[in-house]
Amino acid sequence: MAGAKRYYVTTPIYYVNDVPHIGHAYTTLACDVLARFMRLDGYDVKFLTGTDEHGQKVEKSANDKGVDPQTFTDQVSQRFRDLLGTMNFTNDDFIRTTEERHRLSVQELWKRLKERGEIYLDKYAGWYSVRDEAFYAESELTKGKDGVFTAPTGAPVEWVEEASYFFKLSAWGDRLLKFYDENPDFILPKTRRNEVTKFVEGGLLDLSVSRTTFKWGIPVPGDEDHIMYVWLDALTNYITAVGFPDENHGEFQTYWPADLHMVGKDILRFHAVYWPAFLMAAGIEPPKRVFAHGWWTNEGQKISKSTGNVIDPIELVDRYGLDPVRYFLMREVPFGNDGDFSHAAMVSRMNGELANDLGNLAQRVLSMVNKNCGGAVPQHGEFTEDDLQMLGAARTTLDQARERMDVQAFNGALEDIWVVVRACNGYVDRQAPWKLKKEDPPRMETVLYVLAECIRHLGLILQPFMPQSMAKMLDLLAISPEHRSFDFMGEGHALVPGTQLPPPAGVFPRFVDPEEEGK
């Protein structure tokens, strides 16, 4: 595919000491929407997700369950795979850090860093959080009334002293700042970029990159008393999955550097500071962008296992349906900000925007076509200024969406699309085709044609967000599966008058709460 457009998007690999929750579903959903959008727009896409299976925390969780770490990770990793099917995600690869391809990749990266003088052996003495798998400077810690220190995340820390290999991170501060300066969109949103820049400007310490106090990890080449630091191991998954260390053939040449690493804001430092430093130190190009999104609360309350308000994405899908959940998560808040999940907000979006705005638009237009145009795409006369404006608005949705998706503004893309949905409903009210049926039947057909063509565009552009629902909507317009890519947007592939349509059917039923219904 010489000259083809490529796109490589990754989720973080999820840590297997727990079951999947809404945060995992949210990150992967954002990547799935992007991957689907890019494929429909003619890109050769690689979409990667997977599980991070090494480290002290996993070893401890396995011991607590009374099983060996490999058995434990096999079980928990499967739950993350199951979530992919539930949410209709279209990842091209699923990586596990316990795979042999990954061990070879990480050990090769280590060797390169060692050969280039970027890693040295010394002794580590400092504060370490097992929960975060992170080292902290004392200046970053909070001392409680009981004299116990905690990390910025609230996680407990412990004083650790052991032999350790170090990565010369302190030597990379100026080079990282130069890299950020030359690549202003490397970190998005911009508020996160400012945080990272400030952190690096404050000075970087060399990073401990091995441990000797546990064994569940990838051994350091040539010194098997040491296990590699779990973040060096985990981050390398992004190049493992494209065939590293073979940089001259296949997927590495095709897809690297990655276009986007999507991460939660809590792991931004690892991706925007440590990872580019590791790569540049090994002579490998860094990724093009790291986007750090926000967190969800539940009905205004911080989500935590201790309060029992963790949101299970599978339960959400069972209650509300898959596409409404996908839509809500991408629509409710500007991507990058924190968001609150509430039942009321979910139902409001479902009934207001999906059932009323879009579902009702398609249902009433296609019902009128079925009743008044012989169940076929209507004939149309000359278009008026109002018609042309409406068609123009629908046909420009792709250009607007491309701009929004380029900066991961999912909420903005949907808002732009909903401007067109609302405009269509306004056009229906202004043109009143039910009146035209008696007064000017040919004009009624033109109006219904314009609306059907607008619905076709809405069905095409919304596929990445709600694939199953939009497949139904495009079926109602008799659009063949091979005519559903973005190549078929625009005037050149407009609906053909006289094409027979199937009987109309609802796509978005109103949500009625069973508990409310019984009152």
Side-chain angles (χ1 to χ4, degrees):
M1 291 176 69
K5 301 181 289 185
R6 322 280 191 188
Y7 197 81
Y8 180 25
V9 58
T10 70
T11 74
I13 50 172
Y14 301 118
Y15 210 54
V16 294
N17 68 321
D18 208 349
V19 295
H21 55 66
I22 193 171
H24 304 118
Y26 185 55
T27 317
T28 314
L29 171 60
C31 293
D32 183 65
V33 169
L34 263 177
R36 286 175 179 273
F37 185 93
M38 293 298 178
R39 289 188 199 108
L40 287 166
D41 207 18
Y43 283 76
D44 170 12
V45 171
K46 184 173 177 74
F47 166 22
L48 175 70
T49 189
T51 44
D52 176 9
E53 304 184 11
H54 289 135
Q56 194 173 355
K57 196 160 52 170
V58 171
E59 189 175 78
K60 182 179 183 306
S61 295
N63 289 339
D64 291 346
K65 289 268 196 304
V67 295
D68 65 276
Q70 188 64 59
T71 302
F72 175 79
T73 57
D74 287 348
Q75 291 168 352
V76 185
S77 180
Q78 188 57 46
R79 292 179 194 148
F80 284 89
R81 280 186 188 268
D82 293 343
L83 181 66
L84 300 173
T86 301
M87 298 294 293
N88 195 14
F89 294 147
T90 56
N91 56 297
D92 301 289
D93 195 356
F94 187 96
I95 189 162
R96 300 181 58 189
T97 56
T98 48
E99 292 177 57
E100 178 64 8
R101 63 170 171 164
H102 185 63
R103 183 188 67 77
L104 294 170
S105 172
V106 178
Q107 290 189 327
E108 175 61 27
L109 181 67
W110 180 283
K111 286 175 194 169
R112 288 197 192 183
L113 292 171
K114 190 87 167 53
E115 284 163 8
R116 289 166 171 254
E118 298 287 351
I119 287 178
Y120 63 94
L121 182 62
D122 203 340
K123 185 180 174 188
Y124 178 75
W127 296 101
Y128 184 74
S129 163
V130 174
R131 193 172 90 189
D132 297 343
E133 300 279 15
F135 302 97
Y136 292 103
E138 194 157 326
S139 59
E140 295 181 273
L141 305 179
T142 303
K143 189 174 184 179
K145 290 178 183 174
D146 53 3
V148 174
F149 286 107
T150 54
T153 58
V157 293
E158 59 189 45
W159 184 260
V160 173
E161 291 189 28
E162 60 182 295
S164 175
Y165 284 91
F166 285 81
F167 172 71
K168 292 181 180 176
L169 187 64
S170 61
W172 283 91
D174 289 344
R175 284 176 279 188
L176 283 168
L177 292 170
K178 183 171 183 281
F179 175 72
Y180 303 152
D181 197 45
E182 290 171 353
N183 299 276
D185 291 334
F186 172 64
I187 302 165
L188 286 182
K190 285 196 165 40
T191 50
R192 302 288 171 217
R193 182 179 185 273
N194 298 339
E195 282 173 25
V196 170
T197 304
K198 197 172 174 186
F199 172 73
V200 176
E201 285 172 346
L204 298 173
L205 301 174
D206 287 353
L207 182 69
S208 171
V209 287
S210 74
R211 303 293 307 276
T212 57
T213 50
F214 64 98
K215 288 295 176 193
W216 183 242
I218 294 178
V220 166
D223 191 348
E224 301 212 344
D225 290 339
H226 289 255
I227 294 296
M228 285 189 218
Y229 176 41
V230 70
W231 272 104
L232 176 58
D233 168 358
L235 290 162
T236 306
N237 91 89
Y238 304 127
I239 54 176
T240 299
V242 288
F244 183 82
D246 183 357
E247 295 172 78
N248 300 315
H249 308 92
E251 288 199 334
F252 193 95
Q253 262 202 336
T254 302
Y255 295 114
W256 193 262
D259 293 272
L260 178 70
H261 292 328
M262 185 71 78
V263 301
K265 64 183 183 180
D266 54 322
I267 55 172
L268 177 59
R269 184 187 299 182
F270 302 99
H271 285 81
V273 181
Y274 300 169
W275 181 226
F278 293 154
L279 288 169
M280 289 192 283
I284 301 167
E285 203 175 339
K288 295 176 188 174
R289 176 172 301 160
V290 176
F291 192 109
H293 65 71
W295 291 340
W296 285 89
T297 51
N298 185 355
E299 304 283 352
Q301 299 297 310
K302 186 178 178 183
I303 293 174
S304 75
K305 279 192 291 186
S306 57
T307 56
N309 67 343
V310 173
I311 300 173
D312 180 348
I314 295 171
E315 287 177 10
L316 288 187
V317 169
D318 288 344
R319 183 173 189 184
Y320 301 111
L322 174 55
D323 279 357
V325 169
R326 287 176 61 109
Y327 176 78
F328 177 85
L329 292 176
M330 292 291 97
R331 177 77 170 105
E332 183 67 4
V333 290
F335 197 72
N337 294 4
D338 291 340
D340 182 51
F341 184 90
S342 75
H343 174 66
M346 179 80 209
V347 173
S348 174
R349 295 282 184 195
M350 287 177 73
N351 288 345
E353 293 178 349
L354 296 182
N356 287 359
D357 292 350
L358 181 57
N360 189 42
L361 171 71
Q363 177 83 353
R364 63 179 177 160
V365 168
L366 295 175
S367 294
M368 282 189 274
V369 167
N370 181 260
K371 194 173 173 185
N372 304 312
C373 306
V377 174
Q379 300 296 326
H380 65 80
E382 197 168 327
F383 294 126
T384 66
E385 188 60 35
D386 202 10
D387 301 342
L388 291 170
Q389 279 190 353
M390 194 65 257
L391 288 166
R395 288 168 181 163
T396 56
T397 52
L398 178 57
D399 291 337
Q400 290 177 309
R402 280 179 178 141
E403 286 182 25
R404 297 287 200 173
M405 299 300 261
D406 189 49
V407 290
Q408 290 71 62
F410 303 104
N411 158 280
L414 286 169
E415 179 52 39
D416 291 342
I417 294 164
W418 244 256
V419 167
V420 178
V421 173
R422 294 186 201 108
C424 284
N425 281 308
Y427 173 85
V428 174
D429 295 340
R430 275 196 312 281
Q431 297 294 335
W434 52 91
K435 281 190 189 173
L436 292 170
K437 180 186 173 185
K438 298 172 189 168
E439 297 165 8
D440 190 348
R443 175 66 192 150
M444 174 202 72
E445 290 214 27
T446 299
V447 167
L448 291 176
Y449 179 87
V450 168
L451 286 163
E453 179 64 0
C454 289
I455 291 165
R456 181 179 78 89
H457 278 81
L458 293 168
L460 290 172
I461 200 70
L462 284 167
Q463 289 177 100
F465 297 92
M466 299 180 284
Q468 293 172 338
S469 304
M470 291 309 100
K472 286 182 194 170
M473 192 172 283
L474 293 168
D475 285 346
L476 294 173
L477 289 167
I479 307 297
S480 65
E482 61 270 19
H483 290 169
R484 295 184 183 184
S485 76
F486 293 159
D487 285 345
F488 293 89
M489 301 279 280
E491 195 176 352
H493 302 282
L495 290 167
V496 177
T499 304
Q500 203 63 38
L501 301 180
V507 176
F508 293 111
R510 283 182 66 77
F511 180 83
V512 179
D513 195 326
E515 294 168 21
E516 294 294 318
E517 196 179 23
K519 287 182 182 176

